Amino acid sequence: MQIAKKITLLFAILSAVIISLLSGFVWYFSNEFAFEDFYKRLEARVKIAAQIKLTEDVNNKAYAKMRNQYLERLPSEKEYIMRAGEVKALDRQLPASFYNRINTGAMARYRIENHFYAGKFFKNNNNGYIVIVSANDPFGFRELKDLQRILIIGFFLSVILSFIVGWKFSNYMLMPLRNIIKSVKRIKAENLHLRLDVKDGNDEMSQLAQTFNNMLNRLETAFETQNNFISNASHELRTPLTIISGEVELAMKNIDDEQKQGKALAKIKDEAERLEHILTSLLGLAQSGFNGKNQPWEEVRMDELLWEIKDSVNQVHPNSKIEIDFSKLPDDESLLTLRANKNLMKLALNNIVSNACKYSNEKLVSVSIESNIHTLSIAVTDRGIGIPQTDIQHIFEPFYRASNTNDFKGYGVGLPLSLNIIRLHRGSIAIKSQEGVGTEIKVLLPTMV
């Protein structure tokens, strides 16, 4: 069932419930108080009848005359006077509760459809008497029936009206959502640049449209990154394969020249190693794109991990100078422990420290760590060649290398791999660099992952 139909149906049901409760409320109190005036008129006649018939007063004849002359006679009005304890047949049988109330001295009331009774106990000359007056009230009863008919008709008309209004209201409220659906359906892989119109305001529809736009931004970036990645990867893989193929042909032509064959084989070996490194890096990039659920996560002491990274980098760059600054360590050692994939985290930080050592020409590389209740940060600072300002925005793109790194061997995969791994741990990387001065890369990781 569509949302508009659900909203309309729910609106109609709620309206029906509210209207029925209101109608019941009106009917109940109308039924209770509609005949109050008629009962009072009967009670007045009970008192007058008792005064005229039960008391000895010289004015009784005058009272009776005035009653007959000026007091309206009610439809089917009858008077019944009986001694207490005497059972006198009335026009119909009244319930025992009616007489019980009379015996208590109170005015008793009873109604059968539009026929009303009022009675009371009177005492005269040490004798007890019961005076009962009955009459019909066709006009009040008819008004009550008319009210009942009006309430029933009004109920059904109100429900129908609420259904129509609910349908119009739901269509009006869901129109922005339908527009969003139509706009989203028009967006395909070939036109990911399209965006939804976001209205001014902070309502749910505006937030939904903005959320879709943010998702489209991420999708467009992912598609562009994928296209660039495939293009760069194919280029990087084709180059060593072309060189290997050429060297094999050269070695086959110079089969009798051992020196040229040795050079060709050495070149083939270098390019094969390069190809292996590229494939390993590509595999690392692919693995770092996992959601992490199938990878082992554990509690990792980040300060201890930095010592392991220092030893690992020193094996690859034995002349490197790495200094680990622990002056900003927190008093609470638990703030240094993160839940992470240790192998991937070690790989990410190792790439950053290794790059700092490689591009600093054996100058000092400083690694500092600090942590608070929300964030753990690791800063790697070198005094190397730095990064040109025009290249900083591209250094996290796969296979991209800064324009001043031609004298250094590399493939442009280390930093993109590190960024993927840090993002996997819900962290971020900040970079600050000046060409010829040095570079500082800061890794920010949440302490609660």
Side-chain angles (χ1 to χ4, degrees):
M1 183 182 291
Q2 294 180 347
I3 295 179
K5 293 181 180 178
K6 289 182 179 179
I7 293 176
T8 303
L9 184 60
L10 181 60
F11 186 79
I13 293 174
L14 291 176
S15 299
V17 172
I18 294 173
I19 294 170
S20 61
L21 291 175
L22 180 60
S23 299
F25 179 84
V26 172
W27 169 254
Y28 174 78
F29 284 99
S30 298
N31 192 51
E32 287 291 321
F33 300 107
F35 307 114
E36 182 66 24
D37 180 67
F38 192 78
Y39 272 125
K40 288 182 177 180
R41 294 166 68 183
L42 284 181
E43 291 171 357
R45 283 162 172 77
V46 168
K47 294 177 181 179
I48 293 175
Q51 174 69 28
I52 296 173
K53 301 290 181 63
L54 299 180
T55 60
E56 296 179 359
D57 194 327
V58 295
N59 298 318
N60 281 351
K61 290 184 179 181
Y63 291 155
K65 184 178 179 180
M66 291 179 63
R67 179 192 185 287
N68 295 328
Q69 186 174 358
Y70 297 105
L71 192 62
E72 175 191 8
R73 191 162 188 86
L74 300 175
S76 303
E77 180 179 343
K78 295 180 181 179
E79 295 179 358
Y80 304 94
I81 300 176
M82 62 189 79
R83 289 182 180 273
E86 176 185 352
V87 178
K88 186 175 181 180
L90 304 182
D91 54 353
R92 65 190 67 195
Q93 186 70 29
L94 299 181
S97 59
F98 179 81
Y99 294 104
N100 292 336
R101 182 169 177 79
I102 289 177
N103 292 331
T104 62
M107 184 70 74
R109 295 176 175 180
Y110 184 68
R111 178 173 72 89
I112 302 176
E113 294 185 351
N114 68 326
H115 198 68
F116 296 78
Y117 295 85
K120 190 177 181 182
F121 177 84
F122 293 92
K123 194 171 184 180
N124 183 32
N125 297 327
N126 297 323
N127 294 320
Y129 296 90
I130 295 176
V131 179
I132 299 175
V133 177
S134 67
N136 290 339
D137 184 17
F139 302 105
F141 191 75
R142 189 184 310 121
E143 290 175 357
L144 198 61
K145 286 291 184 181
D146 292 339
L147 176 62
Q148 183 182 20
R149 189 181 305 108
I150 291 172
L151 290 176
I152 294 174
I153 295 174
F155 170 79
F156 287 105
L157 290 178
S158 300
V159 171
I160 295 173
L161 181 62
S162 65
F163 186 86
I164 296 173
V165 172
W167 178 255
K168 297 292 184 182
F169 175 78
S170 62
N171 284 329
Y172 172 76
M173 293 301 297
L174 293 176
M175 186 59 66
L177 181 60
R178 292 193 179 99
N179 293 333
I180 291 176
I181 294 174
K182 291 179 181 178
S183 300
V184 172
K185 285 183 177 179
R186 290 197 300 267
I187 300 175
K188 298 179 175 58
E190 58 270 14
N191 58 359
L192 280 175
H193 62 280
L194 297 179
R195 294 295 180 269
L196 305 180
D197 293 332
V198 180
K199 304 297 182 181
D200 295 334
N202 196 31
D203 58 1
E204 287 76 6
M205 293 301 176
S206 299
Q207 294 178 9
L208 179 62
Q210 188 60 52
T211 301
F212 269 112
N213 285 341
N214 294 336
M215 181 187 69
L216 290 172
N217 289 335
R218 295 192 295 270
L219 285 176
E220 186 179 17
T221 302
F223 268 75
E224 291 178 356
T225 302
Q226 183 184 29
N227 291 333
N228 293 334
F229 179 81
I230 293 173
S231 176
N232 292 328
S234 61
H235 176 268
E236 293 294 328
L237 292 174
R238 189 181 297 112
T239 300
L241 288 175
T242 302
I243 295 174
I244 290 174
S245 179
E247 292 298 327
V248 169
E249 291 180 1
L250 182 62
M252 291 176 65
K253 290 179 180 179
N254 299 283
I255 193 171
D256 297 329
D257 191 336
E258 294 182 358
Q259 184 177 1
K260 290 183 177 181
Q261 275 191 337
K263 290 182 179 180
L265 292 173
K267 188 66 174 178
I268 291 172
K269 181 177 180 297
D270 291 341
E271 294 302 319
E273 291 177 352
R274 178 186 176 190
L275 184 60
E276 180 185 6
H277 191 279
I278 292 175
L279 290 174
T280 302
S281 300
L282 289 175
L283 180 61
L285 279 174
Q287 290 178 335
S288 66
F290 294 163
N291 59 11
K293 294 180 179 179
N294 296 324
Q295 303 174 20
W297 288 63
E298 57 186 300
E299 300 293 330
V300 180
R301 276 287 296 254
M302 299 303 294
D303 53 341
E304 296 176 357
L305 185 64
L306 290 180
W307 285 112
E308 297 180 18
I309 292 171
K310 180 178 183 299
D311 295 337
S312 177
V313 174
N314 283 333
Q315 291 180 1
V316 180
H317 304 282
N319 296 325
S320 61
K321 300 176 182 178
I322 302 174
E323 179 184 72
I324 301 180
D325 181 10
F326 290 130
S327 61
K328 299 179 180 180
L329 288 180
D331 295 332
D332 186 2
E333 294 185 356
S334 64
L335 296 178
L336 295 172
T337 302
L338 296 182
R339 184 165 181 78
N341 182 292
K342 184 175 181 180
N343 293 331
L344 289 180
M345 183 61 70
K346 183 177 180 179
L347 176 60
L349 297 177
N350 189 85
N351 285 340
I352 296 174
V353 177
S354 181
N355 277 353
C357 293
K358 180 168 64 174
Y359 295 116
S360 64
N361 293 317
E362 299 182 359
K363 294 180 181 178
L364 180 66
V365 174
S366 176
V367 181
S368 63
I369 180 173
E370 58 180 309
S371 181
N372 55 45
I373 193 171
H374 298 295
T375 307
L376 183 145
S377 64
I378 299 174
V380 180
T381 306
D382 65 59
R383 298 167 180 81
I385 62 175
I387 304 172
Q389 293 300 312
T390 56
D391 294 334
I392 288 181
Q393 58 182 334
H394 301 291
I395 63 170
F396 291 110
E397 297 176 6
F399 302 108
Y400 184 88
R401 303 195 70 206
S403 57
N404 60 344
T405 60
N406 295 330
D407 296 335
F408 299 88
K409 186 178 180 180
Y411 304 99
V413 182
L415 285 181
L417 176 58
S418 297
L419 178 61
N420 283 359
I421 294 173
I422 297 303
R423 284 179 175 175
L424 177 65
H425 291 78
R426 301 182 185 178
S428 60
I429 296 180
I431 185 167
K432 180 174 65 176
S433 182
Q434 184 176 352
E435 189 174 8
V437 177
T439 302
E440 179 185 9
I441 294 180
K442 180 174 287 189
V443 176
L444 303 173
L445 295 166
T447 54
M448 298 181 182
V449 179

